[in-house]
Structure formats: structure tokens, C-alpha cells
Amino acid sequence: MFKKSFKIIATLLCALSIIPFATGFATEKPTVTVTTTFLADMVHELAGDAVNIETLMPAGSDPHLYQPKAQDVQKISKADLVLYHGLHFEGKMVEILEKYGQAVTKDFDKDSINQMEEDNTSVVDPHFWFDVNLYKQATQTASDVLQEKYPDLKDQIAKNTTAYLAKLDELDEWIKKELGTLSEDQHYLVTPHDAFNYFARSYSFTVYAPQGVSTNSEVSNQQIGETVDFIIEHKIPAIFVESTTNPERMKKLQEAVKAKGGNVAVVNGEDEALFSDSLAPAGQNGDTYISMYQHNINVIVKYLSQAQ
Ligand SMILES: [Zn+2]
């Protein structure tokens, strides 16, 4: 009897001693769960390979409309750390993200957040990343959260943050220089959905998007008519497709311009669609925030410089 109990206890002790070892080994590298490709890139810049990164929305998907799958909900509720954009960008996941995650926009000054009209109500414009200074602020917030969560990585993350923020300053300077080659009457950007207002504010552009701020809304004939007039009035040479929205909409707009006697090119194609709400898939041009912005600027300058 005694012998049998001893054996059981010994077995249990043995098992218990293995479990912490096994768990400690498996969690050695923490996993940061993020909603979008932007944040995957940001965390990779800040923490390098010291963390695993789990991205919920694949490249090319539309975060405004993305419906969380059962496995996403499970990942979020069990994650070590969840980072998300906020400003209602992840429109169908707001509740669960507010419960379990930290928004990289949480420290934004209210005055720095763009407000937009949608269906006669004022809504928050989530596309802050096209303001490089706000993107820097979001990066700093993500860095602070990571350093607090993983004190062992503090020095490494702090060092990476300083280097990355300097690269973002260089990017901002480069954008100003490139856009400086356009004249003032070439500063008109027409895209399917209204993702470029922070860009417009930062670099003195006028933007126009028939679809409004969210890809969810329908485009009315009146909105199309207004956009057509805008294109003809300003002699805009080209309108742009986005990688995350249906290109057919811009073709319809082009036809409507032609019907009114105007002429406008639709910039499309795998290599020339603008990135708005997602980075490119890994391994392709535009798969980092910096290369995404460089791609957009190169395409914009190439086509808008043709304006008369
Ligand atoms: Zn959007």
C-alpha cells in the first residue's frame, strides 16, 4: 500500500517537475498578436526576431469589413499581448479588441484626429498612418507597451525604436522632396475610398473619393456625378485604384468622365494600385510601411506629373 502510494506521488512529482520546464521552454519567445500588416511590420521593426508575431487579417484584406473568425476570437482572448489600430478601423471587432487589446492610437491628441462626414454624421477617420508624424507617435506607443510587457527586451526595443523613428523622419523628408516636383495644380488625388485625408493634410493635397471613409458604404449617383465634375474641372489626368478595393468602380468613373467629354486614366495593375488599408503580402514590393509609402508616392508622382 505504502509502496504503491509512494510510486504515485513519485510519478506526480516527476510529471510536475517536467511541466514548468516544458512550459518555460515553449514561452521563451513571446507572441504578439496584431490585427493588420501595418502593425506586424511595426512590431517587427521594434522587437525584431525576439517575439513571434501573429497577424489576424491577411495582407490584402479590408479591415473595415473584416469579420473575425472563431479562431481569431480565441487567439485574441488568449493572447499574451494584442495590439490594434483603434479609431474604429477594425469596424467589426471593436468590442473584443477594446476588451483584450491595446490601441496604438490611444495617446493621440483629440485635435490630431481627422473627423469626416458620412451619411450626414461626423465619424472618426481611422487612416492616420498616412500622417508620418502620427505614425511615429503610434510607433512610440507600441514601443512603450512592448517594453513594459517584456522588460527583458527593454534595451533592445528602445534602441530599435530610436533607429526606426529616424528612418520615419527620413521617409517624411523624402516624400516632401518627391511631391515637391509636382506643381500646386497637380495636387489632386482621386481614389475609391476616402483613405488619404491625413495624407492630404500632411502634404497639401486635395483628395476626393466617391465612396466615403468606409468601404462599407454604397456609392450614390450624386457622389459619382460630383466626382466626375471635380475631375473635369481640375483637368485631373489620372485616378487611382487601391489594392484593397474593387477596381471596377474606377472604371465606371472613367466612363462617366468620358460621357461628359473628359478624359482620365485609371491607374491599376498589380504593380501600380495604391496601398491604403493593407501592406503588400510578404516578399512583395510594399510589404513594409516605408516601402508601401514609397510605392504610393512613386505612382502618384508618375501619373499626376502628366497634368497640364
Ligand atoms: Zn479605409
Side-chain angles (χ1 to χ4, degrees):
M1 184 70 187
F2 173 76
K3 258 192 177 171
K4 203 176 174 189
S5 304
F6 179 77
K7 216 175 176 184
I8 291 168
I9 290 166
T11 312
L12 272 173
L13 280 172
C14 194
L16 283 170
S17 68
I18 288 168
I19 290 166
F21 177 72
T23 317
F25 208 72
T27 53
E28 205 180 351
K29 201 167 167 176
T31 296
V32 179
T33 301
V34 299
T35 49
T36 70
T37 47
F38 291 93
L39 298 183
D41 176 54
M42 186 189 279
V43 172
H44 186 252
E45 288 289 349
L46 297 175
D49 293 328
V51 299
N52 294 312
I53 300 166
E54 174 98 58
T55 313
L56 298 176
M57 302 176 187
S61 62
D62 180 346
H64 295 288
L65 306 180
Y66 184 86
Q67 289 277 8
K69 299 181 188 75
Q71 64 195 49
D72 294 329
V73 174
Q74 208 176 11
K75 277 179 195 164
I76 293 170
S77 59
K78 292 193 170 154
D80 200 28
L81 173 64
V82 179
L83 289 175
Y84 67 104
H85 287 235
L87 306 182
H88 288 250
F89 183 43
E90 300 94 338
K92 313 279 184 197
M93 299 172 75
V94 174
E95 252 176 58
I96 187 166
L97 289 172
E98 282 181 353
K99 187 170 175 191
Y100 293 103
Q102 302 211 47
V104 294
T105 55
K106 65 181 181 174
D107 299 327
F108 281 10
D109 190 69
K110 223 177 161 203
D111 295 338
S112 67
I113 300 169
N114 189 38
Q115 299 282 331
M116 302 185 68
E117 286 286 312
E118 176 124 317
D119 302 328
N120 296 321
T121 48
S122 180
V123 294
V124 165
D125 178 357
H127 307 93
F128 75 89
W129 51 92
F130 285 121
D131 178 333
V132 177
N133 282 315
L134 280 180
Y135 197 76
K136 281 176 63 187
Q137 201 184 328
T139 302
Q140 187 62 60
T141 299
S143 171
D144 294 344
V145 170
L146 287 164
Q147 289 184 54
E148 200 186 330
K149 182 81 187 169
Y150 307 116
D152 290 353
L153 304 174
K154 200 175 169 47
D155 291 348
Q156 186 186 342
I157 293 170
K159 199 174 143 204
N160 291 345
T161 305
T162 306
Y164 188 54
L165 292 178
K167 276 198 214 167
L168 293 177
D169 281 335
E170 275 174 32
L171 172 72
D172 190 38
E173 286 307 312
W174 178 84
I175 294 169
K176 282 179 191 153
K177 194 182 98 211
E178 292 300 308
L179 294 178
T181 63
L182 297 174
S183 65
E184 215 172 283
D185 54 6
Q186 291 171 330
H187 280 216
Y188 293 100
L189 182 67
V190 179
T191 58
H193 97 293
D194 227 345
F196 293 92
N197 280 283
Y198 289 92
F199 167 79
R201 195 176 73 178
S202 301
Y203 304 111
S204 306
F205 258 70
T206 303
V207 293
Y208 216 92
Q211 199 180 9
V213 68
S214 167
T215 48
N216 209 3
S217 54
E218 288 296 313
V219 183
S220 69
N221 286 336
Q222 191 198 337
Q223 283 167 308
I224 290 179
E226 283 171 9
T227 315
V228 168
D229 292 342
F230 182 80
I231 291 167
I232 292 173
E233 185 191 335
H234 296 286
K235 299 189 179 77
I236 294 171
I239 56 180
F240 297 83
V241 164
E242 297 163 51
S243 66
T244 40
T245 56
N246 184 351
E248 288 307 311
R249 296 203 174 106
M250 296 322 252
K251 286 192 187 132
K252 277 187 188 153
L253 195 56
Q254 183 185 39
E255 283 160 22
V257 170
K258 269 189 188 155
K260 271 202 164 181
N263 191 21
V264 70
V266 177
V267 181
N268 193 2
E270 261 177 51
D271 300 329
E272 293 196 315
L274 295 184
F275 294 111
S276 54
D277 291 1
S278 168
L279 302 181
Q284 292 182 20
N285 183 29
D287 66 349
T288 65
Y289 172 76
I290 289 177
S291 67
M292 174 282 296
Y293 219 144
Q294 288 170 332
H295 162 89
N296 278 3
I297 295 299
N298 286 332
V299 173
I300 288 169
V301 170
K302 176 179 170 187
Y303 285 93
L304 293 187
S305 61
Q306 294 164 11
Q308 313 253 313

